[in-house]
Amino acid sequence: MGYLVLLGLVFAYAVYLDGGATRWSWELCLPVIGLTGLIYWLRTRRTELAPPLEGWLLRAALLLPAYAAVQAIPLPLPVLQILSPARAELQVALSKAGAAGDFASLSVVPPVTLRHGVTLAGLLVVLLLVRELAWRWPERRWTLASPFVFVAALEAALGIAQAAEGDGAHGTYVNHNHFAGLLEMALPFAVVYAVVMTRRVLRSEKNEVCARRLRPVVKPVVGACVALSAAVLIVAGVVASQSRMGFVSALTGLAAAMVLLTIWCKQSTNHRRNALAVALAVALAGAGLALLPSEALVTRFGHLAQQDLSTDTRTKIWNETLALIAAYPVFGCGFGGYESAFLKFKSAAPMYTVDYAHNDYLQGVAELGVAGFLLAACFLVAVVRTLLRGRLSSDREERCFIIACLGAMTAILLHSITDFNLYMPANAMLLAWICGAGLGSLRYSPGGAARIVDVAPAR
């Protein structure tokens, strides 16, 4: 329990300080994360650790921080000309000006790339540590989600208060889109947990619990009420944020969770019923899109419909990012090097600094190149693929928890198309947390065979 509390405090601290956007605030969090992971692995016997992740899944995760380190290694100019001609050309220009030597890294800003590599290592520690706790705590898996749902509910309440005072709802974040990104990841957990607790109450009533045995019913009733209250707060916070993509992503993630709940929990092989469940979820999402938005959010959607995309600043940035990708296609300009490398191609927003592409995928390809981006993509695809096999579980609540994880991942991966949510350390930490919780909750191997282990209680 102590490890979970410590991780929750680190996450809350990162969220409180602009989502970890300020360099010093996140750099205070990283040593605590590393120390927490180190203490856990030193104090835990090897026989009590969770089984290793599937081979290539783990290798992809471990290679990401190493890849960032490789980008920062100085290379001879002839080697650099082969691996990254654009970077070599830049180095030659600097050498002629007397500002550089005959060695240079693949990254245009090696110190920033190393710092981002350390962040990746910290996120990997979060994923693995939460996975360990989920594996050793199978009967209390929902406890793992309680810290970030609680933080999201508090952020939503703060955002609603800001909106009531006439300010834009952004919580403790600078950007309202990143605020919405946090809330949309927590929303499926609040809603699915409320469904699970409601089902427990209904099952107890079906078993005709008498007045002397009301105690087993009180806990799920309270849990359902608290979870529903958190869900209502979070939805209201997303609406108050006036983030168009945040609102769409939140509803999409929730709709995905509802579809999976209907199909997985019923274990139905009736394709007509499954199709009806999908249609119903889509209809509910459509109703949400029509009924939930505030007048201000509807106005923002209206502006989007009237906007000429060819003159939109964000669209121009995306087009110019494609030119940056073409210049550094294989190994990228270096993790965190987007702002520096983009200057050569930048014409959009001439009076402003463009430090993000407002699209995590485009920026990921630009900074990591095709080689590094494929590593990250393979890892995420493998996580989703593994979680989807949770339908094989005979434990209904295990399936429900994995469904919440998939709904949250759907929301943030959709939102990343138009924003840079995963470059916010707190939001990236939450995604790593959710991936680790989902992977640790699986009691079945990807092949579907049951893993029977003696799980020691977490300290």
Side-chain angles (χ1 to χ4, degrees):
M1 186 58 141
Y3 300 108
L4 181 62
V5 170
L6 195 52
L7 279 182
L9 290 175
V10 171
F11 174 70
Y13 179 75
V15 169
Y16 176 70
L17 293 176
D18 304 332
T22 54
R23 175 180 166 184
W24 66 269
S25 64
W26 180 242
E27 289 183 353
L28 287 176
C29 296
L30 283 172
V32 179
I33 291 172
L35 188 59
T36 303
L38 181 62
I39 292 173
Y40 177 85
W41 270 280
L42 288 177
R43 294 188 62 190
T44 306
R45 289 177 293 184
R46 303 288 80 83
T47 55
E48 297 177 359
L49 294 175
L53 289 168
E54 294 303 306
W56 68 280
L57 176 64
L58 180 59
R59 284 195 293 271
L62 293 176
L63 283 175
L64 281 170
Y67 182 85
V70 168
Q71 284 185 313
I73 295 174
L75 300 172
L77 194 56
V79 176
L80 197 61
Q81 287 172 335
I82 297 171
L83 298 179
S84 182
R87 179 67 180 95
E89 181 183 342
L90 177 62
Q91 186 65 15
V92 168
L94 292 173
S95 299
K96 289 180 179 178
D102 295 331
F103 284 79
S105 63
L106 291 166
S107 170
V108 296
V109 278
V112 176
T113 298
L114 283 175
R115 192 163 67 243
H116 279 66
V118 173
T119 293
L120 279 176
L123 296 177
L124 180 59
V125 171
V126 171
L127 186 152
L128 294 176
L129 183 54
V130 173
R131 177 178 178 266
E132 288 286 333
L133 297 178
W135 179 262
R136 300 179 66 186
W137 248 354
E139 73 288 351
R140 300 178 65 183
R141 58 179 65 90
W142 289 105
T143 305
L144 293 173
S146 57
F148 62 77
V149 172
F150 177 71
V151 170
L154 289 181
E155 282 286 310
L158 176 59
I160 293 167
Q162 291 169 339
E165 293 175 358
D167 300 329
H170 55 82
T172 56
Y173 285 73
V174 174
N175 189 307
H176 66 126
N177 293 306
H178 303 148
F179 165 71
L182 170 73
L183 301 188
E184 70 200 22
M185 283 190 280
L187 179 59
F189 288 90
V191 173
V192 175
Y193 182 72
V195 171
V196 170
M197 292 298 103
T198 302
R199 184 179 177 278
R200 284 188 188 178
V201 173
L202 295 176
R203 186 174 57 193
S204 298
E205 290 181 351
K206 186 177 180 181
N207 293 335
E208 299 179 353
V209 178
C210 63
R212 291 177 302 172
R213 298 178 57 201
L214 280 177
R215 188 175 178 182
V217 182
V218 172
K219 184 177 178 181
V221 168
V222 172
C225 292
V226 170
L228 281 175
S229 301
V232 170
L233 265 180
I234 291 170
V235 170
V238 172
V239 173
S241 73
Q242 298 183 32
S243 171
R244 292 170 297 201
M245 197 61 176
F247 180 69
V248 171
S249 299
L251 285 182
T252 303
L254 191 55
M258 293 300 101
V259 168
L260 292 177
L261 269 177
T262 304
I263 296 174
W264 285 15
C265 290
K266 294 293 183 182
Q267 294 286 333
S268 174
T269 57
N270 188 323
H271 298 300
R272 182 176 297 178
R273 178 183 293 178
N274 293 342
L276 182 61
V278 173
L280 180 60
V282 172
L284 288 174
L289 283 171
L291 301 175
L292 289 177
S294 62
E295 184 178 346
L297 186 55
V298 170
T299 303
R300 293 202 73 222
F301 275 112
H303 291 162
L304 182 64
Q306 299 169 1
Q307 194 171 6
D308 183 4
L309 293 180
S310 63
T311 61
D312 178 53
T313 301
R314 190 170 299 191
T315 305
K316 289 181 178 179
I317 292 173
W318 292 347
N319 289 331
E320 291 164 5
T321 301
L322 292 175
L324 173 59
I325 292 171
Y328 298 87
V330 182
F331 298 105
C333 63
F335 198 17
Y338 178 85
E339 180 182 352
S340 299
F342 186 65
L343 287 172
K344 179 180 177 180
F345 309 92
K346 177 179 177 293
S347 62
M351 302 302 293
Y352 297 92
T353 299
V354 178
D355 45 1
Y356 296 100
H358 295 270
N359 182 309
D360 283 331
Y361 306 105
L362 283 178
Q363 186 161 346
V365 177
E367 292 185 349
L368 300 175
V370 173
F373 186 78
L374 281 177
L375 275 178
C378 285
F379 176 68
L380 276 176
V381 168
V383 170
V384 173
R385 185 182 176 190
T386 303
L387 293 182
L388 285 173
R389 288 169 175 160
R391 68 185 184 278
L392 300 173
S393 173
S394 58
D395 185 343
R396 185 186 295 266
E397 289 199 14
E398 180 182 312
R399 296 197 300 272
C400 289
F401 187 81
I402 293 168
I403 285 168
C405 294
L406 288 169
M409 294 178 69
T410 299
I412 195 62
L413 293 177
L414 177 61
H415 197 169
S416 290
I417 295 174
T418 60
D419 282 299
F420 49 101
N421 263 292
L422 298 184
Y423 279 82
M424 290 297 103
N427 289 9
M429 179 180 177
L430 179 51
L431 178 59
W433 188 316
I434 291 168
C435 290
L439 292 173
S441 294
L442 282 172
R443 312 306 295 175
Y444 284 74
S445 68
R451 290 173 175 166
I452 302 175
V453 294
D454 183 17
V455 181
R459 298 173 188 174

